[in-house]
Amino acid sequence: MAISLQCFLFLICISIFSSTMAATDPPLTLDYYKSTCPNVFDIVKKEMECHVLSDPRNAAFILRLHFHDCFVQGCDGSILLDDTIELQGEKKASTNGLNSLKGFRIIDKIKNKLESECPGIVSCADILTIAARDAVILVGGPYWHVPVGRKDSKTASYDLAMENIPSANEGLLSIIAKFLYQGLSVTDMVALSGAHTIGMARCESFRARIYGDFEATSGKNPISDSYLSELRSVCPAIIGSGDNNVTAMDNVTPNLFDNSFYHTLLRGEGLLNSDQELYSSLFGIETKSLVQKYAADPVAFFNQFSDSMVKLGNITNSDSFVNGEVRKNCRFVNT
């Protein structure tokens, strides 16, 4: 089994070289806006402080938006585009939770501030990338430098959103393949999954887990039984009943960015099937070791998360640098 798994991953790695979008070395720099919009980082930071302090859940909303943006056409702001007569956006893709993505109004407000300060200069893709970093910091997470200079795409891809974004009930090998396709390693995948230490999940996303193998992975004990009963009260077994009810993915410190998520997996209490697979899958020899490492060493998790977020943000859409633009309104292509 180990040999076949290695062969499987090797073949996927080979296919990555044919991909036109990967976490390689994009034409991004830390001082891209130094002369054209020197206050961009301060403006984004100030706006994010207001929104996260008013509701800590906003941090997870923005972080999720950034991830979903970068996995489709690269980090080009395509996730922000609304549907129009001429363009089908990505927001209604089932992998995006059928309109469950939130945080768009926050990006709109930041964009309006920047358009007043330096009109037509800062791309929506850069705004989202910077905002994701600030969101993590504001709930206790690590800092990392954000290279900028992205352009906004004039297109979106509903089909790629359906294909590229991992789903809540997806198996480990399939998720690994999707990360490798983007140029992200297994280590990146486990570290970036740690973002689930903040944020909420919809009943529709964790129903199969809590009525499936949750008891098998968590073991029969009063604490786990109580937690499972609580989850089932939030999420009925009948499909269509309570689908939009939500609960925290990290039920210990849901509004704090820490390594508690990995301890949840060690207990076998991961809310999503895709998360618990990191520790419990028969194929997860490497991922299990990384879960144990980050659970034991929060500094190691923070360091790797920072590095992996830079790689994620560096997944670029080469077409956007040629045919892209700086949108005036993040929801629509310029006329």
Side-chain angles (χ1 to χ4, degrees):
M1 185 65 71
I3 295 176
S4 62
L5 174 58
Q6 290 173 358
C7 290
F8 173 79
L9 296 180
F10 177 71
L11 290 173
I12 294 173
C13 288
I14 291 176
S15 71
I16 290 171
F17 291 105
S18 64
S19 173
T20 57
M21 291 182 295
T24 53
D25 295 321
L28 306 175
T29 62
L30 295 175
D31 60 354
Y32 184 84
Y33 296 113
K34 183 177 181 180
S35 60
T36 56
C37 194
N39 295 322
V40 57
F41 287 98
D42 290 335
I43 291 172
V44 175
K45 178 182 178 181
K46 183 176 180 180
E47 286 298 307
M48 285 304 300
E49 285 176 344
C50 292
H51 290 289
V52 175
L53 289 176
S54 65
D55 186 349
R57 293 178 300 174
N58 284 327
F61 294 155
I62 295 300
L63 187 55
R64 185 181 181 216
L65 270 186
H66 178 51
F67 178 88
H68 285 231
D69 183 38
C70 294
F71 260 57
V72 181
Q73 298 188 169
C75 310
D76 61 358
S78 62
I79 188 65
L80 303 174
L81 290 169
D82 283 349
D83 287 353
T84 66
I85 296 176
E86 299 177 344
L87 182 145
Q88 181 182 27
E90 300 161 11
K91 296 178 180 180
K92 294 181 181 179
S94 61
T95 49
N96 285 329
L98 297 174
N99 284 323
S100 72
L101 286 176
K102 299 180 180 180
F104 297 106
R105 292 182 180 179
I106 296 174
I107 300 302
D108 291 340
K109 290 180 180 179
I110 297 173
K111 179 62 174 176
N112 289 337
K113 290 281 186 179
L114 286 168
E115 284 298 299
S116 297
E117 177 85 7
C118 33
I121 299 297
V122 183
S123 69
C124 300
D126 275 345
I127 291 172
L128 182 53
T129 308
I130 299 168
R133 188 271 310 274
D134 291 342
V136 170
I137 294 172
L138 288 165
V139 287
Y143 173 92
W144 63 90
H145 292 295
V146 178
V148 288
R150 299 165 188 80
K151 297 299 182 187
D152 297 322
S153 68
K154 296 180 181 179
T155 62
S157 180
Y158 177 94
D159 290 339
L160 285 180
M162 293 294 292
E163 294 172 11
N164 290 4
I165 298 173
S167 65
N169 292 307
E170 201 157 348
L172 180 62
L173 294 184
S174 178
I175 296 174
I176 290 174
K178 290 183 176 182
F179 273 78
L180 291 177
Y181 180 77
Q182 302 292 346
L184 298 168
S185 68
V186 172
T187 299
D188 294 321
M189 180 191 72
V190 178
L192 291 172
S193 296
H196 286 174
T197 191
I198 57 174
M200 314 289 279
R202 297 165 67 234
C203 165
E204 188 177 42
S205 297
F206 62 85
R207 177 182 283 118
R209 166 77 172 133
I210 63 174
Y211 292 100
D213 68 348
F214 190 97
E215 288 179 294
T217 60
S218 63
K220 296 290 292 183
N221 66 78
I223 296 177
S224 292
D225 287 348
S226 175
Y227 179 43
L228 180 58
S229 295
E230 179 184 335
L231 291 174
R232 288 178 173 175
S233 69
V234 172
C235 184
I238 301 173
I239 295 175
S241 176
D243 283 0
N244 292 320
N245 293 347
V246 297
T247 193
M249 288 185 281
D250 172 3
N251 68 319
V252 179
T253 54
N255 294 322
L256 178 64
F257 196 98
D258 56 15
N259 67 336
S260 175
F261 166 77
Y262 298 105
H263 290 276
T264 299
L265 301 186
L266 294 183
R267 295 193 302 270
E269 296 177 355
L271 184 63
L272 305 181
N273 270 321
S274 55
D275 286 340
Q276 192 59 47
E277 282 271 293
L278 298 175
Y279 185 72
S280 300
S281 172
L282 295 175
F283 300 108
I285 297 175
E286 183 179 359
T287 59
K288 182 175 183 177
S289 175
L290 288 166
V291 169
Q292 293 170 328
K293 176 181 178 180
Y294 299 146
D297 189 346
V299 174
F301 165 51
F302 273 29
N303 288 339
Q304 184 58 57
F305 185 84
S306 297
D307 291 344
S308 297
M309 283 299 294
V310 173
K311 288 181 67 176
L312 175 69
N314 286 353
I315 303 173
T316 55
N317 181 348
S318 57
D319 179 68
S320 70
F321 286 99
V322 178
N323 301 311
E325 61 184 7
V326 174
R327 292 184 209 136
K328 297 177 182 178
N329 182 328
C330 292
R331 295 173 181 263
F332 303 101
V333 174
N334 294 341
T335 56

